[in-house]
């Protein structure tokens, strides 16, 4: 969570006559020394603390961690805007402003605390938290209008996460917002690093802090991080519209685990990582930056026991009687929404109007009570439209003694809210895009005895939980109107049946259960990283030491994905000058034999690497070889029947025509089908279909095999592969004087399944000293491999090689810490 459960404000004393007079005088004369139009007298008022409204479910989860579990819990959160005057003088300030001819409202949140005031504010917050057994660490942010720290999250991120496009702009304002967003996340990272202890688990909440996991990962590489996004995550096609899409996805992927409210949200996120970042993924994880980030679904709940307690007070019962007296004999439909475009208030009103039109006999018997609260952004047009529709409905179907729609654009007291939920005959929630909707969950608990049905939009994140509610499409006003009528005339036994199922689910899948489930899965995910199959990162100091002490060295490098990064256009993967320099230095040492063993054809290797003296080349996975010191290529498949290629090309052509962006690469001894430029998901699907096709036809007729690579399929002769080449290079190794011998240092690096043949072959060579044989796969540590070591990407490969030849300092060995203590931040 990004906000503390308490807010700071300047307290106006009970006898505020002098304050009122001073405020009016300052505004009337224009002498507002505090800046921003806010009266300076307000900055001199004493600070006070009160509970913040909203986010009750999340704060209940925090409370459960502190009091109901053994976790030592610390809440790091922003203070939010410090309110520097209260409602009792707001009217006085507005009136004085108008009288002075100043039509601009005073800025009430442009407020800064001195260090002394910050210390006092921190003490006030800690005292308030201590009463409930909480430990909090406030994050103070100042500079200009305090609302600037929310701007990017609420003006850019929130709309797009909910499928809302912003108006086109020059981007200048958005750049400022982004700068503040980065600073906001860095401020949290600074505060966390101050109190962090090895073994702590950090739980990051929601879209205000999407950069925080990666910032923490860079500062604390061994840190344990779980992230939960309470908002929806849109389709990758929408998410790609963000100019900072790469930074935001990479920020989230600094986590060990990321949780979402619904399966569709997690699926969209994984798709975005695959399509935008090009990372490999499964339905439950994303491989990023050398680690596997777990992705899971955790539908959130509410504190059902607290709701049951709060809904059954004397004040609530009194308000229930008052509401019934206001609407005697009426069926009450209740709605509670934020006044923005995604909560579906407009759709709800259209559906209710359609209900009145379709069922005129019900008009005088039903009243819709709609509560709304201010939106994060883009609310002026929505508010105007809502008021127009309500006026039209009431004007058309209302009477002197009856108004069908009662709209309350305000925050109501908790007692009134629960009273309304208890007396309601039906709850109507028509969100067009939503993450967590606590109103639906609270309504179910409040209807324990009354059994009022729940109409719920299929587009809200809680729809997957409350499957026994009446699901509707909010855009289908006729369908919603029919659902309203069906619920109002539903038989009592059917209502009781639905309520019983909903009530059981809500009271068992609570916020406490959600917290426990999330942390249990996170801990199990972290534990899985310690399994023995996890491949350790290459010990470069050890490799360097073995290299320096060896006299007979053999190097074998794959090309694509190892010495050069994978790119969408294969012809663009040219070697970097540092790679060329390092290879030249390695090859020039008479104690070294350096080979490039690649799936590339002869022409490519000859063009880009052929000029390096004493560099051995193996093309098409070992089908062609150019020996060290030779200019001639040897065709190892010269006597092999290549008639199979026509059948393979015909099959590849069939799938190329049906897979946009794919293409065929014909080599002399192999044929490759590339789909890295195609849609990632559809390309992978077509590749599986193509592979099955080939294995059921060509491989049963010819002595060839189908190899899967990075976004490609390759068919080649079965008897030639990288493993056979690697084994042959070891057996044929000759010393400087030409004497047959065995290398006493071997470094073999590769990134895909064809390179696994090399790793397996080298393991089986008895003459090799395995302590001096370094097989290195390129990819995450969780990658299934027979290699002994791993490196994250091709950049780390280049760094490792240039260190051997003296182009860079030897990297310091990464130490592994032992966890002694566990806390939750």
């Amino acid at each position: 969570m990004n906000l503390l459960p308490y807010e700071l404000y300047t307290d106006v004393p009970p006898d505020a006559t002098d304050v009122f007079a001073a405020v009016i005088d300052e505004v009337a004369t224009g002498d507002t020394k505090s800046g921003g139009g806010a009266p300076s007298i307000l900055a001199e008022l004493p600070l006070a603390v009160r509970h913040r409204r909203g986010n009750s479910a999340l704060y209940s989860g925090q409370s459960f961690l502190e009091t109901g579990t053994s976790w030592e819990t610390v809440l790091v959160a922003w203070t939010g805007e410090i309110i520097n005057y209260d409602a009792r003088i707001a009217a006085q300030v507005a009136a004085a402003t108008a009288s002075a001819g100043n039509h601009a409202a005073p800025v009430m949140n442009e407020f800064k605390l001195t260090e002394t005031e910050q210390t006092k504010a921190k003490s006030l917050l800690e005292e308030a938290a201590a009463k409930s057994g909480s430990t909090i660490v406030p994050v103070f942010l100042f500079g200009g209008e305090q609302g600037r720290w929310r701007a990017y999250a609420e003006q850019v991120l929130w709309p797009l996460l909910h499928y809302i496009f912003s108006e086109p702009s020059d981007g200048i304002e958005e750049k400022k917002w982004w700068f503040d967003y980065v600073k906001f996340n860095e401020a949290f990272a600074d505060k966390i690093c101050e109190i962090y202890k090895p073994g702590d688990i950090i739980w990051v909440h929601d879209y205000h802090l999407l950069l925080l996991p990666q910032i923490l990962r860079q500062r604390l590489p061994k840190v344990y991080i779980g992230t939960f996004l309470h908002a929806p995550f849109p389709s990758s096609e929408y998410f790609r519209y963000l100019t900072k899409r790469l930074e935001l996805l990479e920020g989230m992927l600094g986590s060990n685990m990321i949780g979402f409210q619904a399966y569709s949200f997690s699926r969209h996120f994984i798709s975005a990582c695959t399509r935008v970042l090009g990372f490999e993924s499964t339905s439950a994880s994303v491989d990023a930056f050398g680690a596997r980030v777990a992705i899971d679904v955790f539908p959130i709940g509410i504190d059902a026991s607290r709701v049951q307690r709060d809904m059954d007070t004397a004040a609530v019962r009194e308000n229930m009687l008052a509401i019934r007296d206001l609407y005697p004999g009426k069926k009450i439909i209740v709605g509670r929404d934020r006044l923005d475009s995604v909560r579906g208030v407009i759709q709800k009103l259209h559906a209710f109007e359609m209900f009145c039109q379709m069922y005129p006999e019900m008009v005088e018997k039903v009243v819709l009570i709609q509560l709304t609260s201010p939106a994060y952004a883009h609310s002026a047009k929505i508010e105007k439209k809502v008021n127009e529709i309500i006026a039209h409905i009431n004007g058309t179907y209302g009477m002197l003694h009856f108004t069908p729609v009662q709209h309350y654009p305000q925050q109501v007291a908790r007692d009134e809210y629960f009273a309304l939920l208890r007396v309601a005959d039906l709850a109507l929630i028509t969100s067009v895009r939503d993450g967590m909707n606590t109103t639906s969950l609270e309504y179910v608990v409040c209807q324990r005895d009354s059994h009022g049905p729940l109409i719920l939009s299929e587009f809200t994140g809680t729809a997957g939980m409350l499957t026994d509610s009446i699901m509707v499409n909010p855009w289908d006003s006729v369908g919603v109107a029919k659902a309203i009528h069906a619920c109002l005339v539903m038989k009592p036994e059917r209502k009781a049946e639905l309520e019983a199922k909903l009530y059981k689910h809500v009271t068992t899948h609570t916020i406490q259960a959600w917290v426990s489930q999330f942390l249990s899965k996170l801990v199990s995910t972290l534990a899985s990283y310690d399994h023995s199959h996890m491949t350790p990162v290459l010990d470069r100091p050890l490799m360097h030491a073995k290299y320096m002490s060896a006299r007979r060295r053999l190097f074998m490098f794959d090309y694509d994905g190892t010495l050069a990064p994978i790119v969408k256009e294969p012809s663009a993967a040219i070697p970097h000058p540092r790679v060329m320099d390092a290879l030249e230095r390695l090859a020039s040492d008479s104690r070294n034999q350096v080979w490039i063993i690649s799936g590339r054809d002869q022409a490519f290797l000859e063009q880009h690497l052929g000029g390096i003296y004493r560099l051995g080349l193996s093309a098409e996975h070992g089908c062609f070889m150019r020996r060290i010191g030779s200019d001639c290529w040897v065709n190892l498949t010269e006597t092999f029947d290549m008639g199979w290629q026509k059948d393979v090309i015909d099959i590849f052509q069939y799938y190329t025509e049906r897979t946009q962006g794919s293409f065929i690469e014909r080599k002399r001894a192999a044929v490759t089908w590339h789909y890295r430029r195609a849609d990632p998901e559809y390309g992978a699907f077509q590749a599986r279909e193509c592979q099955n096709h080939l294995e059921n036809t060509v491989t049963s007729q010819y002595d060839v095999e189908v190899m899967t690579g990075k976004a490609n399929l390759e068919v080649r002769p079965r008897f030639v592969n990288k493993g056979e080449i690697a084994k042959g290079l070891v057996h044929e190794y000759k010393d400087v004087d030409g004497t047959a011998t065995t290398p006493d240092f071997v470094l073999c690096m590769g990134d895909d399944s064809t390179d696994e043949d090399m790793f397996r072959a080298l393991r089986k060579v008895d003459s090799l000293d395995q302590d001096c044989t370094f097989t290195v796969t390129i990819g995450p540590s969780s990658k299934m491999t027979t290699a002994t070591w791993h490196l994250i990407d091709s950049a780390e490969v280049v760094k490792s090689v240039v260190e051997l030849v003296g182009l860079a300092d030897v990297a310091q060995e990464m130490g592994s810490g032992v966890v002694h203590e566990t806390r939750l931040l």
Side-chain angles (χ1 to χ4, degrees), residues 513-524:
W514 173 76
V515 168
S516 299
Q517 183 186 11
F518 184 92
L519 290 178
S520 295
K521 184 58 184 291
L522 176 58
V523 170
S524 65

PDB file of all heavy atoms in Angstrom, residues 513-524:
ATOM      1  N   ALA A 513      -7.460 -14.659   4.945  1.00  0.00           N
ATOM      2  CA  ALA A 513      -7.102 -15.826   4.137  1.00  0.00           C
ATOM      3  C   ALA A 513      -6.255 -15.410   2.944  1.00  0.00           C
ATOM      4  O   ALA A 513      -5.312 -16.113   2.548  1.00  0.00           O
ATOM      5  CB  ALA A 513      -8.373 -16.540   3.667  1.00  0.00           C
ATOM      6  N   TRP A 514      -6.581 -14.259   2.370  1.00  0.00           N
ATOM      7  CA  TRP A 514      -5.820 -13.739   1.225  1.00  0.00           C
ATOM      8  C   TRP A 514      -4.368 -13.449   1.623  1.00  0.00           C
ATOM      9  O   TRP A 514      -3.433 -13.833   0.905  1.00  0.00           O
ATOM     10  CB  TRP A 514      -6.494 -12.476   0.709  1.00  0.00           C
ATOM     11  CG  TRP A 514      -5.747 -11.746  -0.362  1.00  0.00           C
ATOM     12  CD1 TRP A 514      -5.639 -12.099  -1.676  1.00  0.00           C
ATOM     13  CD2 TRP A 514      -4.996 -10.542  -0.207  1.00  0.00           C
ATOM     14  NE1 TRP A 514      -4.875 -11.172  -2.358  1.00  0.00           N
ATOM     15  CE2 TRP A 514      -4.469 -10.210  -1.481  1.00  0.00           C
ATOM     16  CE3 TRP A 514      -4.725  -9.710   0.871  1.00  0.00           C
ATOM     17  CZ2 TRP A 514      -3.686  -9.079  -1.690  1.00  0.00           C
ATOM     18  CZ3 TRP A 514      -3.944  -8.580   0.652  1.00  0.00           C
ATOM     19  CH2 TRP A 514      -3.428  -8.274  -0.598  1.00  0.00           C
ATOM     20  N   VAL A 515      -4.179 -12.799   2.754  1.00  0.00           N
ATOM     21  CA  VAL A 515      -2.827 -12.498   3.234  1.00  0.00           C
ATOM     22  C   VAL A 515      -2.048 -13.794   3.451  1.00  0.00           C
ATOM     23  O   VAL A 515      -0.897 -13.927   3.012  1.00  0.00           O
ATOM     24  CB  VAL A 515      -2.894 -11.681   4.542  1.00  0.00           C
ATOM     25  CG1 VAL A 515      -1.513 -11.621   5.201  1.00  0.00           C
ATOM     26  CG2 VAL A 515      -3.402 -10.273   4.269  1.00  0.00           C
ATOM     27  N   SER A 516      -2.667 -14.744   4.115  1.00  0.00           N
ATOM     28  CA  SER A 516      -1.993 -16.011   4.406  1.00  0.00           C
ATOM     29  C   SER A 516      -1.645 -16.753   3.122  1.00  0.00           C
ATOM     30  O   SER A 516      -0.541 -17.300   2.983  1.00  0.00           O
ATOM     31  CB  SER A 516      -2.882 -16.890   5.290  1.00  0.00           C
ATOM     32  OG  SER A 516      -3.158 -16.257   6.523  1.00  0.00           O
ATOM     33  N   GLN A 517      -2.574 -16.763   2.175  1.00  0.00           N
ATOM     34  CA  GLN A 517      -2.350 -17.465   0.913  1.00  0.00           C
ATOM     35  C   GLN A 517      -1.214 -16.827   0.127  1.00  0.00           C
ATOM     36  O   GLN A 517      -0.331 -17.525  -0.407  1.00  0.00           O
ATOM     37  CB  GLN A 517      -3.634 -17.465   0.081  1.00  0.00           C
ATOM     38  CG  GLN A 517      -3.524 -18.238  -1.227  1.00  0.00           C
ATOM     39  CD  GLN A 517      -4.754 -18.103  -2.097  1.00  0.00           C
ATOM     40  OE1 GLN A 517      -5.629 -17.279  -1.833  1.00  0.00           O
ATOM     41  NE2 GLN A 517      -4.843 -18.902  -3.141  1.00  0.00           N
ATOM     42  N   PHE A 518      -1.222 -15.501   0.050  1.00  0.00           N
ATOM     43  CA  PHE A 518      -0.181 -14.814  -0.712  1.00  0.00           C
ATOM     44  C   PHE A 518       1.202 -15.081  -0.109  1.00  0.00           C
ATOM     45  O   PHE A 518       2.150 -15.435  -0.817  1.00  0.00           O
ATOM     46  CB  PHE A 518      -0.459 -13.306  -0.751  1.00  0.00           C
ATOM     47  CG  PHE A 518       0.517 -12.533  -1.601  1.00  0.00           C
ATOM     48  CD1 PHE A 518       0.250 -12.289  -2.941  1.00  0.00           C
ATOM     49  CD2 PHE A 518       1.713 -12.045  -1.079  1.00  0.00           C
ATOM     50  CE1 PHE A 518       1.140 -11.590  -3.729  1.00  0.00           C
ATOM     51  CE2 PHE A 518       2.611 -11.343  -1.858  1.00  0.00           C
ATOM     52  CZ  PHE A 518       2.326 -11.114  -3.201  1.00  0.00           C
ATOM     53  N   LEU A 519       1.313 -14.908   1.190  1.00  0.00           N
ATOM     54  CA  LEU A 519       2.620 -15.083   1.833  1.00  0.00           C
ATOM     55  C   LEU A 519       3.072 -16.537   1.804  1.00  0.00           C
ATOM     56  O   LEU A 519       4.269 -16.815   1.642  1.00  0.00           O
ATOM     57  CB  LEU A 519       2.565 -14.567   3.266  1.00  0.00           C
ATOM     58  CG  LEU A 519       2.450 -13.042   3.402  1.00  0.00           C
ATOM     59  CD1 LEU A 519       2.353 -12.645   4.859  1.00  0.00           C
ATOM     60  CD2 LEU A 519       3.639 -12.341   2.749  1.00  0.00           C
ATOM     61  N   SER A 520       2.153 -17.473   1.945  1.00  0.00           N
ATOM     62  CA  SER A 520       2.520 -18.897   1.883  1.00  0.00           C
ATOM     63  C   SER A 520       3.084 -19.239   0.514  1.00  0.00           C
ATOM     64  O   SER A 520       4.102 -19.934   0.400  1.00  0.00           O
ATOM     65  CB  SER A 520       1.309 -19.772   2.191  1.00  0.00           C
ATOM     66  OG  SER A 520       0.875 -19.577   3.516  1.00  0.00           O
ATOM     67  N   LYS A 521       2.409 -18.742  -0.533  1.00  0.00           N
ATOM     68  CA  LYS A 521       2.899 -19.022  -1.893  1.00  0.00           C
ATOM     69  C   LYS A 521       4.231 -18.325  -2.144  1.00  0.00           C
ATOM     70  O   LYS A 521       5.131 -18.893  -2.779  1.00  0.00           O
ATOM     71  CB  LYS A 521       1.862 -18.556  -2.916  1.00  0.00           C
ATOM     72  CG  LYS A 521       2.243 -18.892  -4.359  1.00  0.00           C
ATOM     73  CD  LYS A 521       2.436 -20.385  -4.549  1.00  0.00           C
ATOM     74  CE  LYS A 521       2.914 -20.721  -5.949  1.00  0.00           C
ATOM     75  NZ  LYS A 521       1.863 -20.479  -6.959  1.00  0.00           N
ATOM     76  N   LEU A 522       4.389 -17.108  -1.625  1.00  0.00           N
ATOM     77  CA  LEU A 522       5.648 -16.395  -1.802  1.00  0.00           C
ATOM     78  C   LEU A 522       6.788 -17.133  -1.106  1.00  0.00           C
ATOM     79  O   LEU A 522       7.872 -17.312  -1.679  1.00  0.00           O
ATOM     80  CB  LEU A 522       5.528 -14.967  -1.262  1.00  0.00           C
ATOM     81  CG  LEU A 522       6.804 -14.117  -1.297  1.00  0.00           C
ATOM     82  CD1 LEU A 522       7.346 -14.005  -2.719  1.00  0.00           C
ATOM     83  CD2 LEU A 522       6.529 -12.732  -0.727  1.00  0.00           C
ATOM     84  N   VAL A 523       6.555 -17.584   0.111  1.00  0.00           N
ATOM     85  CA  VAL A 523       7.592 -18.303   0.857  1.00  0.00           C
ATOM     86  C   VAL A 523       7.955 -19.607   0.148  1.00  0.00           C
ATOM     87  O   VAL A 523       9.143 -19.959   0.034  1.00  0.00           O
ATOM     88  CB  VAL A 523       7.130 -18.575   2.305  1.00  0.00           C
ATOM     89  CG1 VAL A 523       8.091 -19.524   3.009  1.00  0.00           C
ATOM     90  CG2 VAL A 523       7.034 -17.268   3.077  1.00  0.00           C
ATOM     91  N   SER A 524       6.954 -20.320  -0.359  1.00  0.00           N
ATOM     92  CA  SER A 524       7.245 -21.569  -1.072  1.00  0.00           C
ATOM     93  C   SER A 524       7.993 -21.295  -2.372  1.00  0.00           C
ATOM     94  O   SER A 524       8.865 -22.073  -2.779  1.00  0.00           O
ATOM     95  CB  SER A 524       5.953 -22.338  -1.359  1.00  0.00           C
ATOM     96  OG  SER A 524       5.110 -21.617  -2.245  1.00  0.00           O
TER      97      SER A 524
END
